[in-house]
Amino acid sequence: MGHARQRRVLAALLVDAGQVVSASALEERVWGERVPRRGRETLYGYLSRLRQALTPWGSELVREQGGYRLVVAMEAVDLHRFRDLVARARSVNAAERAAALWEEALGLWRGEAFAGADTPWFNTQRDVLETERLAAQMDLADVRLRLGQHARVLAECSSRAEAYPLDERVAGQLMLALFRCGRQAEALACYTALRKRLAKELGTDPGAEVQHVHQAILRGESARPAASGTQPPAETGPGRAVPAQLPLEVRGFTGRREELTRLDRILATAAEGPAAVVVSAVSGTAGVGKTALAVHWAHRVADRFPDGQLYVNLRGFDPWGAAVTPDQAVRGFLDALGVPARQVPVDLQARVGLYRSLLAGQRVLVVLDNARDADQVRPLLPGSPGCLALVTSRNRLAGLVATEGAHPLALDLLSPAEARDLLARRLGEERVAAEPDAAQEIITRCARLPLALAIATARAATHPGFPLSAVAEELRDNHGSLDAFDGGDLTTDARAVFSWSDQALSTPAARLFHLLGLHSGPDISAPAAAALAGLPLRPTRGLLIELTRAHLLTEHTPGRYTLHDLLRVYAAERVLAQETPPERDHAAERLLTWYLHTADAIHPFLTPNRRRVPLDPLPASCHPLAFSAHDQALNWCDSERPNLVAAVHHAVAVGRPGIAWRMAAVLWGFFYLRGHLHDWLDTTRTALDAARATHDRIGEAWSLGDAASALTQIHRFDEAIDHFRQAMALCRELGDVSGRCQAMVNLGYAYRQIGQPDRSVEYCRRALAIHAMSEARIRKGNVLFNLGDSYQQLGRFDDAIDCLEQALTVLRAEGDRWGEGVALDLLGTVHHRLRRHDDAITYYHQALDTHTNSGYWRGEAHTLGNLGDVHLAVGATDTAREAWQRALAILDDPDHPDTAQLRTKLNTLT
């Protein structure tokens, strides 16, 4: 498999076997930040040699849109075989069989994973695998202890305890092995040493499981080993993604035994009954721990849902009103289930149908967190037996109970005993017992609200030298009330806790925290936060770290941050109170301007030959991101898509319609390339409304054209034609000759799609005539190949060839590789229709090479389909079949119009 670096490329592909990995991701995995000067060229060389080396072994390295996919039998990869054996071991009831599976899984290890590979990605993967290996070793030890093989595991438990001195599960196993080997005193000494280490290092006592083992040893009884709270990693396999979207467990979860028992009973009912889907609706006030309960229980039962766990925060009570729509949530679930964006139907009902079809016959747990009402939830419910939906909301969701038979579960505040247990778990029993009155006051002041208690204990844990009475006094002195939002749903008092956490921040960090209340997106990156605050990136990162440590922000992925709902409300309140209206306006404009200019920076990579959107000059204080490669620009758009869509709406809300329509316009290429048609139409229509409301005629003209382009992609041609006509008339009124010509060409395209090529010829020739009489900047090559296509549809082949050859000359001079590939394909089609089959095949091959180099995958599929037609015409049936099969593999989209045609052709051959 080649030298070390080439083998690392193979390893990077094997980890995600069966899935597409982009070239930029491979570069990052293999080289980290030290990508060589000609890294992409070197990578392609590695991939080419790997493809040749893998073929004799029955594996295939396939190039697809967006990257490379390694097709390999999963059982042939030690990593995936290990995880499969682990999953099987955890699912069997017979201890002897489980032990055999664990031993087989651990026998696959031959030392350190990815030995010698030192990049951030490989180092992270190595740590993940080492964690999985440790969990497997401890699970095997559990089984052996249950089988009475305590003497066999004693040595390995002792060695593991030395390596992991703070791991309570490891200590519990060692204690049990020592006790069962007749060494009770050493087992008790092990517990004493653990308790001292935990107190010194973490300020906590051993958990309930280890305490149970300790008490059993004191009584001279046998006991089960301490259980693991972790779940096995999600299985992966060829052909279908297995989602594992559950958030991390909430640290220090306590109590809720009655609620957990009831959820267990609901799950048991679901397993026994014939119902299509069982729904449990957990309701309660904000911050009462609905999400914590749902996530904790979901992790407990995740192994009962081997086909995956889906999770979405519906943000039903977002202060900006930016709740996740059912449409957005379903699209997210389809992404998690491995459905490419191009295969996602445009219509919501069709999307829901696809989503439920994918879950049919599966056992999937769906967690719908923070729902506003039943209508937001209904489209997201699975429809097949074996699935279970767990919904949380501040509303009681009576509609779900009445019509979907949901099991209601109202979550109240923690009981006094549970609240005290939470403090003891986080601060240590000794510290709480030493100041019972102060502990009780903290509980009272926090109203037994889990979120408030978590922040209060974080404050106390950060300063172990502070007496609890000082924390109680801060709460007492700053006592206030956090106003309810959405009709008084909030009934607890959390503002005091938020305020003193806020006051403990440095002044710059507090200001940034308050300004985050102005951000309307679901999360924010460090560069965007810097733009919002008007600060350089480096000090902003320091402030974000400070906010994260204070538990006021969550870094949910590296460099991206979210706020809890209540904290977002609090931040929004503080920014209104402490920043003047002009300062708030400037902050919002800074952020929106940064998003706009960064989005505009993708233009040279995604749409280099399209007319650039006119922007205001870049403010000196704005530092947008710069991109150096196509994949880098595209990846940024992917990660920021929800924020960019939200930014268009936010710009309208804060009175910046010019930013709104320009933002929608600069995202044209991204939405077209990725196929996010709903977002495309939504943003362009929002932009169009904003431009019209403020009588911005230039913005209206751009938005009309962009909205029409989106409409053509979803085949709503009548509406598109109407929009293009309006855009054409408005551009003429404005004297925008280039915009008018572009609208004409697009109008011609729309007419050609509905079978009126004569109208298409008319508009294309008018555009060329206007171009000849003026200095309008239009994509002449684009106009010429559209005109040539119209001629060939009319059977005017000489005119078509003349136009297309002119188009090639212009397109090559413009450097428009995408357009060049289209023109070559059309020349092939003309020669095919003239029965000049050799010339047609030559042009089609040239078009294929051009499409491949420009990354235009849909063009590749289209040209392969045409190439198959020519081969069939000359009697090369096998070659035709191969071309159509390649085209079908590239499309991988059952809803694409070409897919049905290709399948019909293949069936005809059969």
Side-chain angles (χ1 to χ4, degrees):
M1 293 301 167
H3 54 78
R5 190 81 66 184
Q6 185 167 301
R7 292 197 303 273
R8 289 173 197 169
V9 175
L10 175 61
L13 288 164
L14 284 169
V15 170
D16 290 319
Q19 301 180 40
V20 176
V21 182
S22 69
S24 59
L26 286 172
E27 286 180 335
E28 180 184 357
R29 294 179 181 188
V30 175
W31 285 287
E33 297 180 353
R34 301 186 297 274
V35 180
R37 187 173 183 180
R38 301 178 68 180
R40 185 59 59 89
E41 183 178 336
T42 303
L43 175 66
Y44 289 154
Y46 292 158
L47 291 165
S48 177
R49 289 190 288 275
L50 281 174
R51 183 181 289 110
Q52 296 173 9
L54 287 165
T55 300
W57 298 94
S59 300
E60 184 180 6
L61 183 57
V62 180
R63 181 186 177 278
E64 295 187 357
Q65 169 64 15
Y68 297 84
R69 180 166 60 92
L70 182 56
V71 181
V72 61
M74 302 301 278
E75 64 272 13
V77 184
D78 55 1
L79 166 62
H80 302 301
R81 178 158 176 75
F82 168 75
R83 287 175 169 168
D84 177 66
L85 288 165
V86 165
R88 288 162 57 192
R90 286 173 174 155
S91 66
V92 299
N93 295 321
E96 293 84 355
R97 176 58 180 156
L101 290 168
W102 289 120
E103 289 169 357
E104 184 180 354
L106 290 167
L108 295 171
W109 285 77
R110 299 175 180 84
E112 182 183 67
F114 309 116
D118 183 19
T119 66
W121 186 84
F122 274 117
N123 292 337
T124 299
Q125 292 298 314
R126 185 182 297 113
D127 291 343
V128 169
L129 283 173
E130 191 56 42
T131 300
E132 293 181 26
R133 183 185 190 183
L134 175 62
Q137 290 171 337
M138 290 193 291
D139 286 340
L140 175 57
D142 278 347
V143 173
R144 285 175 174 165
L145 286 169
R146 288 199 295 273
L147 291 171
Q149 300 171 0
H150 35 271
R152 180 178 179 182
V153 302
L154 180 57
E156 66 182 69
C157 286
S158 178
S159 175
R160 210 153 34 237
E162 291 182 10
Y164 303 96
L166 297 177
D167 192 303
E168 297 184 34
R169 188 183 180 199
V170 171
Q173 290 178 341
L174 177 58
M175 290 163 57
L176 193 57
L178 286 167
F179 172 63
R180 290 181 178 176
C181 288
R183 298 159 66 175
Q184 181 177 6
E186 292 177 66
L188 294 173
C190 177
Y191 176 79
T192 301
L194 173 68
R195 182 169 58 82
K196 289 180 178 179
R197 283 194 297 269
L198 290 174
K200 180 179 179 181
E201 299 292 334
L202 304 178
T204 63
D205 281 339
E209 295 289 348
V210 179
Q211 290 184 34
H212 171 69
V213 175
H214 178 236
Q215 292 298 320
I217 292 173
L218 287 174
R219 294 191 298 269
E221 302 171 354
S222 181
R224 293 178 65 85
S228 168
T230 61
Q231 292 295 336
E235 296 178 57
T236 58
R240 193 182 71 83
V242 179
Q245 293 188 316
L246 295 179
L248 294 175
E249 274 268 36
V250 178
R251 177 180 170 270
F253 182 88
T254 186
R256 306 301 192 191
R257 293 183 181 178
E258 181 179 344
E259 290 83 357
L260 291 169
T261 300
R262 184 166 178 191
L263 288 172
D264 287 340
R265 287 199 297 265
I266 293 170
L267 178 57
T269 302
E272 298 169 359
V277 62
V278 176
V279 184
S280 180
V282 180
S283 62
T285 60
V288 78
K290 301 181 294 296
T291 299
L293 172 68
V295 171
H296 176 76
W297 183 78
H299 276 287
R300 281 192 4 171
V301 300
D303 61 331
R304 305 282 296 276
F305 297 89
D307 298 307
Q309 307 88 43
L310 295 169
Y311 172 89
V312 63
N313 180 1
L314 294 171
R315 300 172 64 200
F317 295 86
D318 189 280
W320 286 95
V324 175
T325 65
D327 188 27
Q328 293 169 326
V330 170
R331 278 186 287 145
F333 284 169
L334 292 176
D335 286 344
L337 291 166
V339 180
R342 62 183 179 274
Q343 294 185 22
V344 177
V346 174
D347 180 67
L348 172 59
Q349 187 174 358
R351 283 187 179 136
V352 172
L354 175 60
Y355 160 64
R356 288 176 173 160
S357 297
L358 290 172
L359 297 190
Q362 305 294 314
R363 289 192 58 80
V364 176
L365 175 63
V366 182
V367 181
L368 307 174
D369 194 17
N370 196 16
R372 174 174 289 277
D373 51 37
D375 289 339
Q376 191 184 21
V377 168
R378 285 193 179 97
L380 310 179
L381 298 177
S384 60
C387 294
L388 186 144
L390 182 60
V391 187
T392 75
S393 177
R394 294 176 194 165
N395 283 334
R396 294 187 179 274
L397 300 180
L400 284 184
V401 176
T403 59
E404 275 75 21
H407 299 261
L409 179 60
L411 199 60
D412 202 351
L413 299 171
L414 294 174
S415 69
E418 289 173 331
R420 188 191 181 283
D421 189 37
L422 188 152
L423 260 63
R425 280 178 177 267
R426 299 200 175 197
L427 303 178
E429 177 61 32
E430 293 180 357
R431 190 174 178 189
V432 173
E435 296 184 78
D437 293 337
Q440 183 57 50
E441 184 172 0
I442 292 173
I443 292 170
T444 302
R445 295 290 180 186
C446 291
R448 292 183 281 121
L449 185 70
L451 176 63
L453 285 166
I455 298 175
T457 54
R459 166 75 165 167
T462 305
H463 301 281
F466 281 20
L468 295 185
S469 58
V471 178
E473 184 178 354
E474 284 184 318
L475 287 172
R476 189 186 318 125
D477 292 343
N478 293 280
H479 186 61
S481 62
L482 184 63
D483 292 341
F485 56 91
D486 191 50
D489 180 79
L490 181 63
T491 60
T492 53
D493 179 4
R495 183 181 281 121
V497 177
F498 294 156
S499 64
W500 58 250
S501 295
D502 184 8
Q503 292 164 13
L505 297 171
S506 65
T507 301
R511 174 176 174 269
L512 175 59
F513 174 52
H514 300 160
L515 289 174
L516 289 173
L518 298 174
H519 181 52
S520 59
D523 67 355
I524 193 167
S525 66
L532 176 66
L535 295 172
L537 180 57
R538 184 172 180 179
T540 302
R541 291 189 190 278
L543 300 180
L544 291 168
I545 291 172
E546 182 180 348
L547 292 172
T548 303
R549 287 175 177 169
H551 300 281
L552 295 171
L553 278 185
T554 299
E555 189 175 10
H556 68 101
T557 59
R560 304 196 70 84
Y561 302 84
T562 60
L563 287 86
H564 182 277
D565 287 350
L566 292 182
L567 290 170
R568 185 188 291 264
V569 173
Y570 177 81
E573 289 180 350
R574 298 316 303 157
V575 76
L576 288 173
Q578 297 194 349
E579 301 286 345
T580 65
E583 289 170 335
R584 295 196 299 271
D585 290 344
H586 290 157
E589 187 166 17
R590 282 195 302 267
L591 179 60
L592 292 170
T593 301
W594 181 87
Y595 274 130
L596 174 60
H597 282 273
T598 301
D600 179 65
I602 69 176
H603 178 275
F605 303 99
L606 270 58
T607 52
N609 300 105
R610 187 173 187 260
R611 189 169 61 138
R612 198 148 193 169
V613 179
L615 303 184
D616 292 333
L618 181 67
S621 59
C622 182
H623 302 285
L625 299 179
F627 304 108
S628 58
H630 178 276
D631 287 350
Q632 184 189 23
L634 201 55
N635 290 340
W636 180 82
C637 290
D638 283 333
S639 62
E640 291 286 356
R641 178 167 62 94
N643 289 319
L644 293 169
V645 173
V648 174
H649 293 277
H650 190 202
V652 175
V654 298
R656 298 292 188 278
I659 291 179
W661 74 256
R662 287 177 173 87
M663 181 81 74
V666 299
L667 293 173
W668 187 97
F670 167 64
F671 287 143
Y672 176 85
L673 185 62
R674 279 300 198 229
H676 297 301
L677 303 183
H678 180 277
D679 287 340
W680 191 4
L681 189 58
D682 172 48
T683 53
T684 53
R685 283 186 160 173
T686 299
L688 179 58
D689 291 342
R692 283 173 167 168
T694 54
H695 307 290
D696 184 340
R697 305 291 277 168
I698 295 176
E700 183 179 357
W702 274 87
S703 300
L704 277 166
D706 290 346
S709 294
L711 287 165
T712 61
Q713 295 304 306
I714 57 178
H715 292 188
R716 288 160 62 174
F717 294 114
D718 289 343
E719 294 175 72
I721 288 171
D722 178 64
H723 278 56
F724 280 136
R725 284 187 174 281
Q726 291 183 56
M728 190 169 60
L730 187 52
C731 287
R732 177 165 48 193
E733 177 185 323
L734 295 170
D736 181 0
V737 180
S738 298
R740 180 183 171 198
C741 289
Q742 187 61 54
M744 285 181 180
V745 177
N746 289 335
L747 189 57
Y749 169 82
Y751 275 120
R752 197 160 65 250
Q753 297 307 306
I754 61 174
Q756 298 183 31
D758 52 336
R759 301 290 297 275
S760 180
V761 168
E762 174 190 344
Y763 283 107
C764 290
R765 292 179 64 178
R766 285 174 60 185
L768 287 174
I770 294 173
H771 171 69
M773 294 185 298
S774 67
E775 297 181 356
R777 183 184 180 277
I778 66 170
R779 294 165 58 194
K780 184 177 179 182
N782 177 275
V783 183
L784 286 168
F785 77 62
N786 272 278
L787 181 57
D789 191 16
S790 302
Y791 280 144
Q792 76 87 11
Q793 287 191 22
L794 289 168
R796 297 169 57 178
F797 299 124
D798 290 341
D799 291 334
I801 291 173
D802 182 57
C803 274
L804 292 169
E805 288 179 345
Q806 289 183 57
L808 274 180
T809 301
V810 175
L811 290 164
R812 286 166 175 164
E814 293 175 345
D816 188 343
R817 298 286 284 166
W818 172 81
E820 181 183 345
V822 174
L824 287 165
D825 176 88
L826 290 169
L827 276 168
T829 299
V830 173
H831 285 284
H832 178 205
R833 295 188 64 186
L834 290 169
R835 301 184 182 277
R836 300 170 184 170
H837 296 130
D838 289 343
D839 290 336
I841 290 172
T842 298
Y843 278 119
Y844 283 143
H845 278 294
Q846 291 178 17
L848 275 178
D849 291 340
T850 308
H851 290 325
T852 302
N853 292 333
S854 64
Y856 184 35
W857 64 268
R858 283 188 291 186
E860 288 184 63
H862 182 75
T863 299
L864 281 167
N866 292 337
L867 187 60
D869 294 342
V870 181
H871 284 303
L872 183 66
V874 298
T877 306
D878 291 341
T879 309
R881 179 187 292 108
E882 180 186 354
W884 290 336
Q885 288 173 338
R886 286 174 60 194
L888 207 56
I890 292 174
L891 283 177
D892 192 24
D893 182 358
D895 295 325
H896 195 283
D898 290 350
T899 300
Q901 295 176 15
L902 288 166
R903 285 178 174 161
T904 299
K905 292 175 182 179
L906 286 168
N907 290 336
T908 301
L909 283 185
T910 303

